[in-house]
Amino acid sequence: MTNDALIGHPDAECILPEGLSVRVKVPASSANLGPGFDCLGMALAIYDEVAVTVTGTGITVAVTGEAAGQVPLDERHLVARAVVRGFESAGVAVGGFHLECRNAIPHSRGLGSSAAAAVGGLAAASALVALDGRRPALDDAALVQLSSEFEGHPDNAAASVLGSAVVTWSHGQESFYARRLELHPAVVATVFVPQTESSTETTRGLLPDAVPRADAVFNVSRAALGVVALTTDPAWLIDATEDRLHQGYREQALPETTRLVHSLRERGHAATVSGAGPSVLVLGTRPLGTHEADLAADLGFAMIPVAVADGVEVVS
């Protein structure tokens, strides 16, 4: 087989053997956590599973669960593209591979499904490299960098890689970084997921290029307080999830989400739009009850208590 027929690094001397197979599970995520636009994220225990088996030629894809029947089943699939990118970065190639995706993360709901897809594909490629043993696996920093490149910002991707909550930053649109926070043990999460979908591109397009200085200062203070509330003093979660930078500008596109966030906050819950919506995230120190579930149901949302997750994991 010539290098022209291989998939992965174009000049690879390391060709992974047929039959090599791995399975990884990757968590959902919620970005922003209120004021931390593109800078704060949290991993949530809703998992997609990705299995990759090295074959002789070509790329084949099978998908079950969320978005089955709605995504391409060839090299255009986001997970498949991430697998190829992982091989390229690790300096290896394959003749082909078969990809299986078992999806539980809702798509286009603000729960990081696309970031999880990128992380899952890259982690699977890295696990295959490690299993082969002739090249080093990709480390967490590389997984954060490569997965963030797919979306152009690292908050969701870094949360799925590292788990827990994360603080992220970038140098321009080329270098991405993240650090994991150790959460206060009392912090619990609840998500409210609607049937309706939302486009990140559309809601991001509603944001202005400039905001008043007072709003910028407000968000800096709340994002900094968010780190304190998440790690040492969750009594401040209500204040720490206030935002003036992005949620208000998105209200016209997310009317039910906005109503639910306002209603929950009026009842003393630290509710925020999850990522670009339309899901809602509540952070607190106690589980929510039937009153909040009924309130959400009236607006078309299902209430789901969810654990804060660890990062992507190789399961077989």
Side-chain angles (χ1 to χ4, degrees):
M1 181 180 294
T2 67
N3 274 16
D4 289 344
L6 294 174
I7 296 167
H9 196 283
D11 300 316
E13 297 180 358
C14 179
I15 314 301
L16 301 186
E18 291 184 48
L20 211 61
S21 184
V22 297
R23 183 179 298 274
V24 303
K25 69 174 187 178
V26 56
S29 60
S30 182
N32 305 328
L33 310 186
F37 182 68
D38 283 0
C39 299
L40 295 177
M42 178 178 287
L44 302 172
I46 305 169
Y47 296 97
D48 284 354
E49 289 195 7
V50 171
V52 180
T53 301
V54 178
T55 63
T57 184
I59 297 173
T60 58
V61 181
V63 178
T64 57
E66 289 286 333
Q70 303 173 25
V71 293
L73 300 180
D74 54 25
E75 69 279 358
R76 296 171 297 164
H77 191 282
L78 178 54
V79 178
R81 289 163 47 207
V83 173
V84 174
R85 182 69 183 92
F87 289 151
E88 291 172 347
S89 184
V92 306
V94 297
F97 62 87
H98 176 65
L99 167 66
E100 294 183 10
C101 300
R102 299 179 181 176
N103 297 337
I105 303 172
H107 278 222
S108 301
R109 307 294 211 289
L111 293 171
S113 61
S114 60
V119 171
L122 289 162
S126 177
L128 286 168
V129 171
L131 190 61
D132 176 70
R134 288 177 288 167
R135 289 286 192 278
L138 302 172
D139 60 19
D140 285 347
L143 290 176
V144 168
Q145 173 65 33
L146 294 171
S147 57
S148 299
E149 289 174 1
F150 279 89
E151 294 198 316
H153 47 89
D155 44 3
N156 286 106
S160 288
V161 172
L162 300 176
S164 188
V166 293
V167 176
T168 71
W169 67 102
S170 63
H171 292 166
Q173 291 297 309
E174 297 181 354
S175 300
F176 302 99
Y177 306 91
R179 288 295 182 269
R180 172 181 165 125
L181 300 176
E182 296 305 321
L183 289 187
H184 190 284
V187 172
V188 297
T190 307
V191 292
F192 296 82
V193 183
Q195 291 299 313
T196 56
E197 298 182 355
S198 175
S199 164
T200 300
E201 183 178 356
T202 298
T203 56
R204 186 173 283 265
L206 297 172
L207 304 181
D209 292 330
V211 297
R213 180 177 5 178
D215 289 349
V217 172
F218 181 94
N219 265 62
V220 169
S221 71
R222 295 313 192 268
L225 180 60
V227 174
V228 175
L230 288 168
T231 59
T232 63
D233 195 352
W236 291 102
L237 280 169
I238 289 286
D239 285 2
T241 50
E242 292 179 310
D243 164 71
R244 294 183 186 174
L245 190 61
H246 64 101
Q247 293 183 148
Y249 296 104
R250 289 169 161 161
E251 288 185 355
Q252 59 182 293
L254 302 168
E256 291 82 8
T257 297
T258 300
R259 287 176 60 193
L260 181 57
V261 168
H262 289 335
S263 295
L264 289 168
R265 292 189 70 87
E266 287 170 358
R267 289 162 174 78
H269 304 299
T272 69
V273 179
S274 182
S279 295
V280 172
L281 173 72
V282 171
L283 298 174
T285 56
R286 59 182 176 82
L288 303 185
T290 56
H291 181 78
E292 290 82 8
D294 292 343
L295 172 67
D298 289 342
L299 293 171
F301 291 75
M303 187 179 86
I304 306 172
V306 60
V308 178
D310 284 328
V312 62
E313 176 185 1
V314 179
V315 294
S316 65

